[in-house]
């Protein structure tokens, strides 16, 4: 009465600890315990490496560390995803096999309880879709019967990108990249928004936030604004706009929101794949503003929005 997936997970953990070897040249796959003296010798080496690593950690600058790291272990990939979701403060964007969405449901629900907005594209195998409580797991859910790379981007600064098989296949040569750099995260986010997300079928969309609602992250504000406008509501905004070129700020109150350009919920209204912005009617004319603080700034709009509060118009 033990599932095959659980057996694979335990086997991979033993492999990661150098306690067993795997022979996939035969069928069925054979796992062999390593001789105790070899296993203990490896453990001693790993403990010494751990000691050196801890000493280095406590003497290194807080922001040191690899911006991109190759990860071969399924267990490590899952652990990195879980840790990223646990640290999320604003947004999480996931492209993941549907069974993995079920596996991560508790972490996703906890993130949403903290106010993190979650976009989830659940992909092959879709047969596990019934095991996932979409309204609990994510704010916006789409499904796609394909096997694109696993992608997780949290707060536009860290996450995972790897072969679909790293979370679905048997122990093999598949691997993932663990990253913690805004420019890298922004590139992977653009890939998801432009190439994967539009292919999905919308399965669940949360209700728009009650108004008034304050936001520090424009993409979340734009998604909610799109939902309000789809329901026929006019919107006003208190907003601080940042002129990207001049590096100056200006504050506007009760500015009419006359446009939302995005493709994450409902019918797309953007002109190019990465566009995600709000358009404000100001005394000087109409201004479109994108998100500031991410890996890819509002290069097209020229303005970024922060400290944004939406009101019913």
């Amino acid at each position: 009465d033990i599932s095959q997936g659980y057996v694979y997970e335990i086997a991979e953990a033993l492999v990661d600890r150098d306690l067993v070897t795997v022979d996939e040249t035969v069928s069925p796959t054979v796992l062999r315990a390593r001789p105790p003296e070899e296993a203990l010798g490896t453990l001693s080496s790993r403990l010494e490496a751990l000691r050196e690593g801890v000493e280095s950690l406590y003497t290194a600058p807080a922001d040191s560390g690899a911006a991109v790291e190759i990860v071969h272990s399924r267990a490590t990939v899952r652990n990195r995803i879980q840790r990223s979701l646990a640290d999320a403060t604003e947004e999480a964007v996931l492209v993941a096999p549907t069974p993995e969405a079920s596996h991560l449901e508790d972490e996703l629900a906890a993130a949403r309880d903290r106010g993190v907005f979650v976009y989830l594209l659940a992909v092959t195998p879709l047969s596990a879709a019934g095991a996932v409580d979409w309204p609990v797991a994510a704010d916006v859910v789409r499904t796609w019967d394909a096997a694109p790379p696993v992608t997780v981007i949290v707060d536009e600064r860290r996450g995972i990108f790897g072969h679909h098989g790293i979370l679905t296949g048997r122990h093999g040569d598949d691997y993932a990249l663990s990253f913690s750099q805004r420019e890298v995260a922004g590139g992977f986010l653009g890939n998801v928004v432009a190439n994967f997300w539009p292919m999905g079928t919308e399965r669940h969309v949360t209700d728009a936030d009650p108004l008034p609602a304050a936001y520090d992250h424009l993409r979340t504000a734009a998604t909610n604004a799109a939902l309000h406008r789809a329901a026929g509501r006019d919107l006003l905004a208190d907003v601080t706009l940042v002129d990207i070129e001049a590096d100056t700020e200006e504050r506007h109150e009760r500015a009419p929101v006359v446009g939302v350009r995005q493709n994450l919920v409902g019918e797309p209204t953007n002109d190019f794949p990465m566009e995600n912005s709000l358009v404000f009617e100001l005394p000087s004319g109409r201004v479109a503003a994108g998100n500031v603080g991410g890996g890819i700034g509002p290069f097209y709009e020229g303005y970024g929005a922060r400290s944004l509060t939406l009101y019913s118009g």
Side-chain angles (χ1 to χ4, degrees):
D1 297 327
I2 300 176
S3 70
Q4 186 182 59
Y6 184 66
V7 172
Y8 283 136
E9 187 173 334
I10 295 300
E12 288 165 355
L14 293 173
V15 170
D16 290 341
R17 290 161 174 77
D18 291 324
L19 297 177
V20 302
T21 60
V22 179
D23 184 358
E24 292 190 287
T25 63
V26 297
S27 183
T29 298
V30 175
L31 278 70
R32 296 186 180 90
R34 297 185 62 193
E37 60 275 11
E38 289 185 14
L40 288 174
T42 301
L43 178 60
S44 298
S45 299
R46 293 179 65 191
L47 287 173
E48 178 61 22
L50 176 62
R51 182 189 66 78
E52 294 174 356
V54 170
E55 290 179 353
S56 174
L57 175 64
Y58 277 91
T59 58
D63 60 352
S64 65
V68 179
E69 178 186 359
I70 297 177
V71 180
H72 290 277
S73 164
R74 178 179 303 174
T76 302
V77 169
R78 282 177 171 161
N79 180 262
R80 296 290 174 85
I81 294 173
Q82 291 168 341
R83 282 167 49 190
S84 295
L85 291 174
D87 293 339
T89 59
E90 295 178 339
E91 175 190 73
V93 179
L94 298 92
V95 179
T98 304
E100 202 64 26
S102 177
H103 183 81
L104 294 169
E105 190 171 307
D106 289 345
E107 287 82 1
L108 292 168
R112 294 189 64 218
D113 286 344
R114 298 194 307 274
V116 177
F117 202 91
V118 177
Y119 301 91
L120 171 63
L121 177 60
V123 299
T124 298
L126 296 182
S127 56
V132 188
D133 190 341
W134 300 129
V136 169
D139 293 278
V140 184
V141 178
R142 291 188 177 187
T143 58
W144 184 24
D145 192 11
V150 172
T151 312
V152 177
I153 308 119
V154 172
D155 294 339
E156 289 189 71
R157 64 183 177 87
R158 65 185 299 184
I160 286 285
F161 178 85
H163 193 278
H164 181 270
I166 192 69
L167 292 177
T168 59
R170 300 174 63 180
H171 190 80
D173 296 329
D174 295 331
Y175 65 92
L177 301 178
S178 175
F179 55 87
S180 56
Q181 189 176 60
R182 287 193 179 275
E183 290 75 13
V184 176
F188 285 131
L189 177 63
N191 187 44
V192 170
V193 172
N195 298 317
F196 302 155
W197 189 261
M199 303 303 296
T201 300
E202 203 162 78
R203 297 298 184 188
H204 166 72
V205 178
T206 189
D207 294 331
D209 291 337
L211 299 175
Y215 302 95
D216 293 322
H217 192 253
L218 182 122
R219 191 160 35 250
T220 305
T223 296
N224 278 276
L227 296 176
H228 281 296
R229 285 171 61 86
R233 302 184 186 100
D234 293 328
L235 297 172
L236 302 173
D238 292 348
V239 60
T240 299
L241 293 178
V242 181
D243 186 319
I244 302 302
E245 184 175 349
D247 194 25
T248 57
E249 293 187 0
E250 54 188 62
R251 182 70 177 173
H252 297 274
E253 295 186 354
R254 299 304 195 275
V257 179
V258 294
V260 183
R261 299 171 180 169
Q262 58 84 43
N263 71 336
L264 296 175
V265 291
E267 291 297 319
T269 55
N270 53 336
D271 292 329
F272 67 94
M274 272 291 290
E275 186 177 21
N276 194 284
S277 63
L278 292 176
V279 183
F280 305 98
E281 186 73 63
L282 305 180
S284 58
R286 293 190 173 186
V287 171
N291 191 56
V292 290
I296 300 178
F299 61 90
Y300 178 73
E301 297 85 0
Y303 286 86
R306 60 165 60 114
S307 303
L308 173 70
T309 302
L310 293 177
Y311 300 87
S312 175

